[in-house]
Amino acid sequence: MLINLSDVLSDQHKTVEETVRLEMEEIRLQSGTYPIISKEPVHVKVEHIRGKELLITAETKLSVIIPCDRCLEDVKREFELNCVKHVDVGLSDAELTEELDESNFIDGYHLDVDKLLFHEILSSWPTKVLCREDCKGLCNVCGQNLNTGSCNCEDTGLDPRMSVVRDLFKNFKEV
């Protein structure tokens, strides 16, 4: 959704305040595509500070489905976004000072709300997602979800990647 910033950037510097619909239906990252299952309207306020400096605030809530890192079951992750950006549309990203934010979500006289919120979601994206703290994951032999049942596979007790270490310990005990 694009919001026209002509009023706030004009000589009158009128504050722009709108509630708009989030158009994103999914979050696309290198690790996969994650569906947005619920979203609230986005409340956006754009105020003039001085020159071409703007203060942009945006608030919304949305829920995304992300697979558990251990068992791959769907996990509903809620994001409560309260974004505040201080931008200068007269400067390029290379000219930014420390107190200013990037403004790559503004193109000419339009604010791209989806692009603004995508960057906020990305910065708060979890590094690890678990369906529950004690998730047992999948059997590394047959793929059975160990949270929902057991399997008859031989339990080596070690991650197969650790077999080299196991073999070293066997040789050490024999000496």
Side-chain angles (χ1 to χ4, degrees):
M1 171 61 70
L2 295 177
I3 294 179
N4 189 331
L5 300 177
S6 297
D7 286 345
V8 75
L9 291 170
S10 71
D11 290 337
Q12 289 85 24
H13 303 303
K14 293 181 184 175
T15 296
V16 174
E17 192 163 0
E18 292 186 33
T19 299
V20 297
R21 185 176 70 83
L22 183 66
E23 293 179 344
M24 267 190 296
E25 297 296 327
E26 59 193 14
I27 307 295
R28 290 182 187 210
L29 305 174
Q30 286 182 333
S31 59
T33 301
Y34 308 95
I36 297 174
I37 57 170
S38 68
K39 54 189 172 181
E40 292 183 6
V42 184
H43 180 74
V44 180
K45 184 175 182 181
V46 183
E47 301 172 90
H48 177 262
I49 296 177
R50 67 184 162 273
K52 291 196 174 201
E53 288 183 39
L54 304 175
L55 183 65
I56 302 168
T57 57
E59 298 175 357
T60 191
K61 292 180 186 177
L62 57 99
S63 298
V64 179
I65 294 293
I66 306 172
C68 174
D69 286 329
R70 292 185 188 157
C71 71
L72 303 178
E73 290 292 320
D74 286 346
V75 177
K76 178 181 173 184
R77 172 65 203 258
E78 295 184 5
F79 291 87
E80 187 169 330
L81 303 173
N82 295 307
C83 167
V84 178
K85 298 288 183 182
H86 180 190
V87 300
D88 188 330
V89 294
L91 297 177
S92 69
D93 286 345
E95 300 172 308
L96 290 179
T97 59
E98 283 187 22
E99 68 271 0
L100 295 172
D101 296 302
E102 291 182 0
S103 60
N104 56 358
F105 45 85
I106 297 176
D107 186 17
Y109 285 88
H110 293 93
L111 166 66
D112 187 336
V113 176
D114 283 14
K115 195 170 187 180
L116 169 69
L117 293 178
F118 174 79
H119 291 288
E120 289 300 306
I121 293 167
L122 191 58
S123 67
S124 60
W125 196 260
T127 55
K128 187 163 195 80
V129 174
L130 297 176
C131 60
R132 59 184 201 220
E133 207 50 48
D134 64 341
C135 177
K136 297 176 185 175
L138 302 175
C139 171
N140 58 13
V141 176
C142 70
Q144 165 70 36
N145 184 339
L146 299 174
N147 295 314
T148 60
S150 59
C151 60
N152 293 326
C153 298
E154 181 181 329
D155 181 17
T156 62
L158 284 178
D159 184 321
R161 296 170 288 186
M162 298 297 289
S163 62
V164 173
V165 175
R166 181 183 63 223
D167 292 343
L168 283 172
F169 279 117
K170 280 184 185 177
N171 293 336
F172 183 71
K173 289 180 186 177
E174 293 173 2
V175 175

